[in-house]
Amino acid sequence: MGPGTRLPLQGGLPPADAPAGPVVEIACDESGFSGTNLLDPATPVIAHASVDLTAVEATALLTSLRAGFRFSPHEFKSRQFLRAPEFVEAREWFLAALRGRAHVHLVDKQLFLATRVVDLLIAEPSYAAGTRLAPAYREAALALYRVGRAAGVDWTAFLAAFVDMLRTKRRDRAGDGSVDRFLRARDALARHAPTDAVLTGLDRARVAAVQARLYADDRSIPHRWNRCCRRWPRPCCPGAVADGGCWSSTTSRAR
């Protein structure tokens, strides 16, 4: 590896080969991340945004914004910029300036958890799990989500029990009752939709076996599931993948 090789900011392997041709560097950030509390009502969605602006272009854009709309010369406050009614014109100008140069992917956290129920407990976890749901299971996950949204507190309890059951934290969960709590929450939710395909397909033996495999670090379950489930399912993963796919479709060399 040469002295000029730039390593990924978040770790990982350096590029195997030097880039052939110009490289477009994409800047990304997220908003709405609530840690282990995926059911925080204050942040029901997570946004993953990215731009392909160069440093020079970004500086010019912010300079114009400050000069034209009397913003602070030091730091922008997003709450003020996004919500203050006097900045409607500034927001419209800013969005117009970014047209074609920005991408935002929104993830509904409850829908994300519904897809994880299907991926992990109904389907067989794959390397795509944690990023996007296989097409064959999307309708089932959407149906479960719609049932849940109409079920109120039983839906929230079901999702909370699912997340709790996955938090293995490198210790055996076989005797702590988390599988039983999840199945009781399933039964309560199923009263709202007795024929839902996902709810009727959640088998105790299967659920317990998956939890045991995660605890045992079963290598047949892709590493993304093992690492994520030991802490919590991570909704930022689909956003990062969506942004990567967006920019890869518009430029041949994006990083």
Side-chain angles (χ1 to χ4, degrees), residues 51-87:
V51 297
D52 72 340
L53 299 174
T54 66
V56 172
E57 289 173 319
T59 299
L61 183 62
L62 291 179
T63 299
S64 298
L65 188 61
R66 288 189 173 107
F69 299 98
R70 298 195 304 273
F71 280 100
S72 165
H74 304 293
E75 183 182 2
F76 278 104
K77 298 296 183 181
S78 62
R79 181 180 296 273
Q80 180 187 37
F81 180 64
L82 295 175
R83 299 181 183 179
E86 62 267 30
F87 295 131

Side-chain angles (χ1 to χ4, degrees), residues 28-31 46-50 103-107 236 239-241 243:
C28 304
D29 199 6
E30 54 79 21
S31 178
I46 186 168
H48 195 278
S50 56
H103 179 261
V104 179
H105 185 84
L106 288 177
V107 178
C236 52
V241 171
D243 280 345

Side-chain angles (χ1 to χ4, degrees), residues 44-226:
V45 300
I46 186 168
H48 195 278
S50 56
V51 297
D52 72 340
L53 299 174
T54 66
V56 172
E57 289 173 319
T59 299
L61 183 62
L62 291 179
T63 299
S64 298
L65 188 61
R66 288 189 173 107
F69 299 98
R70 298 195 304 273
F71 280 100
S72 165
H74 304 293
E75 183 182 2
F76 278 104
K77 298 296 183 181
S78 62
R79 181 180 296 273
Q80 180 187 37
F81 180 64
L82 295 175
R83 299 181 183 179
E86 62 267 30
F87 295 131
V88 171
E89 184 182 356
R91 291 193 293 270
E92 292 176 350
W93 179 89
F94 187 68
L95 290 174
L98 285 176
R99 186 168 292 118
R101 306 297 303 276
H103 179 261
V104 179
H105 185 84
L106 288 177
V107 178
D108 181 306
K109 294 178 185 178
Q110 291 190 358
L111 177 57
F112 170 79
L113 285 174
T115 65
R116 300 313 89 176
V117 170
V118 174
D119 266 335
L120 192 59
L121 302 180
I122 300 296
E124 180 64 22
S126 69
Y127 279 93
T131 57
R132 65 182 63 183
L133 188 63
Y137 297 102
R138 287 176 187 165
E139 285 304 317
L142 284 171
L144 174 64
Y145 174 75
R146 294 185 186 109
V147 165
R149 294 288 289 179
V153 294
D154 286 336
W155 172 238
T156 304
F158 173 77
L159 295 179
F162 172 66
V163 173
D164 177 66
M165 184 179 65
L166 296 185
R167 290 193 183 118
T168 57
K169 296 182 180 177
R170 299 187 181 278
R171 61 187 177 88
D172 193 349
R173 300 290 302 275
D176 73 349
S178 59
V179 170
D180 291 330
R181 288 193 295 274
F182 171 70
L183 292 174
R184 286 196 296 271
R186 175 208 59 185
D187 292 342
L189 183 59
R191 288 196 288 269
H192 300 271
T195 61
D196 179 80
V198 175
L199 296 176
T200 57
L202 291 172
D203 172 77
R204 190 188 195 288
R206 160 76 177 179
V207 171
V210 169
Q211 186 191 59
R213 289 168 64 191
L214 287 169
Y215 165 72
D217 198 18
D218 185 342
R219 297 296 177 174
S220 67
I221 296 180
H223 68 279
R224 182 180 291 118
W225 261 116
N226 273 348

